[in-house]
Amino acid sequence: MKKIITIAVIIITLVAIFFIKFNYKSSKFGNNISNKSADEIKNYILDIKSYEVEAKITVNSNKNSNEYLVKEQYYREENISKIEILEPENLLGICFEYNGNDLKIENSKLNLNKIYENYPYIGENTITLLDFVNDYSESEDSKVIENDENVILETKVKNGNKYIAYKKLYVNKSNGKPIRMEIEDITQKTVIYILYNEIKINNLQKEDILAFKLDEIANDI
């Protein structure tokens, strides 16, 4: 019995050592970017390979303010994306899926969908995290600043207009995750405010996003 107990203790010790080393390597070499410089965090954001985010979007106009809750997914290598509207209730179930070549627009509440083959991805959503990355990379008027809690990436939209002229992305310094985005008009008044409730970075595969094939029945919405 004593020999069995001794062997069990040795096994448990070896397993514990393995997990300690594994967790140490994961924290050291994984997606952990805590305690990094502003430039390192900026480069991390610009080099995102995939993401999944739930975002609350507030759109302000001179007359009113509208709020939307959306789920957004993106896989960079093959330019695959999906945007699903969760709120308001009258838009619940509307989803846009792009597989790198074809666009599918679906309304699950009405059981309707339409597929546009060979649809050119223009990148004019203006409000997605992907569009911010592209705008920041393409603009000559981009900069990075920081305060005690956040790294702030600011850019002037290269092909913007009087309504969508400037963008600011606030990133948490402690974990490298985007917190919110502010989109401003030409007078630098915030017209769109995006709060990222939940976000996962570099954990998605394309199979997690795409759920359609071209042989599905395509109906007009």
Side-chain angles (χ1 to χ4, degrees):
M1 177 64 70
K2 184 176 181 181
K3 184 176 181 181
I4 295 175
I5 293 175
T6 302
I7 294 174
V9 170
I10 293 173
I11 293 175
I12 292 172
T13 302
L14 291 175
V15 170
I17 292 173
F18 170 79
F19 278 107
I20 291 171
K21 288 185 176 180
F22 178 81
N23 290 330
Y24 172 77
K25 289 181 179 179
S26 296
S27 63
K28 186 176 180 181
F29 300 110
N31 290 327
N32 183 1
I33 63 164
S34 60
N35 301 318
K36 297 295 184 180
S37 69
D39 281 335
E40 287 175 312
I41 291 177
K42 178 197 72 175
N43 293 333
Y44 172 74
I45 295 297
L46 298 182
D47 194 42
I48 287 176
K49 301 297 189 297
S50 69
Y51 65 81
E52 179 177 23
V53 61
E54 182 180 286
K56 182 179 181 180
I57 303 171
T58 302
V59 181
N60 299 309
S61 67
N62 293 330
K63 296 183 179 180
N64 53 37
S65 177
N66 296 299
E67 293 186 349
Y68 307 89
L69 185 66
V70 304
K71 179 180 178 181
E72 180 188 339
Q73 296 173 303
Y74 178 66
Y75 182 71
R76 188 172 190 168
E77 184 176 349
E78 297 186 33
N79 195 24
I80 296 170
S81 62
K82 178 178 180 179
I83 298 176
E84 180 182 358
I85 301 178
L86 305 177
E87 294 179 5
E89 179 67 25
N90 63 312
L91 298 179
L92 176 65
I94 294 179
C95 183
F96 304 86
E97 293 184 35
Y98 184 70
N99 67 1
N101 188 60
D102 309 298
L103 174 69
K104 177 186 178 182
I105 304 176
E106 179 181 19
N107 188 327
S108 60
K109 289 179 66 176
L110 300 178
N111 196 28
L112 298 173
N113 64 75
K114 178 69 176 180
I115 295 177
Y116 298 89
E117 298 184 36
N118 301 313
Y119 188 88
Y121 180 79
I122 304 174
E124 292 183 348
N125 292 321
T126 72
I127 65 171
T128 68
L129 184 57
L130 165 63
D131 290 318
F132 176 86
V133 169
N134 291 335
D135 289 332
Y136 191 96
S137 300
E138 294 172 0
S139 176
E140 297 179 356
D141 297 311
S142 296
K143 61 182 179 180
V144 55
I145 60 178
E146 62 179 311
N147 55 32
D148 291 339
E149 297 180 353
N150 303 318
V151 170
I152 306 164
L153 307 182
E154 299 184 1
T155 189
K156 181 178 181 181
V157 181
K158 184 177 181 180
N159 296 315
N161 51 55
K162 65 179 182 179
Y163 302 108
I164 307 294
Y166 302 93
K167 295 182 179 182
K168 296 179 182 179
L169 183 70
Y170 292 74
V171 183
N172 188 308
K173 290 175 68 173
S174 65
N175 58 26
K177 292 184 177 182
I179 302 170
R180 68 181 187 270
M181 187 197 304
E182 298 172 1
I183 301 177
E184 302 173 338
D185 63 15
I186 197 170
T187 67
Q188 295 190 294
K189 175 184 176 182
T190 300
V191 292
I192 301 176
Y193 182 90
I194 303 172
L195 179 65
Y196 299 115
N197 298 329
E198 299 177 12
I199 185 165
K200 299 177 183 178
I201 295 177
N202 295 339
N203 289 325
L204 283 181
Q205 299 297 322
K206 65 178 182 179
E207 292 80 10
D208 299 324
I209 303 176
L210 295 180
F212 76 94
K213 298 179 181 179
L214 286 180
D215 56 3
E216 289 183 348
I217 298 175
N219 302 306
D220 291 327
I221 294 180

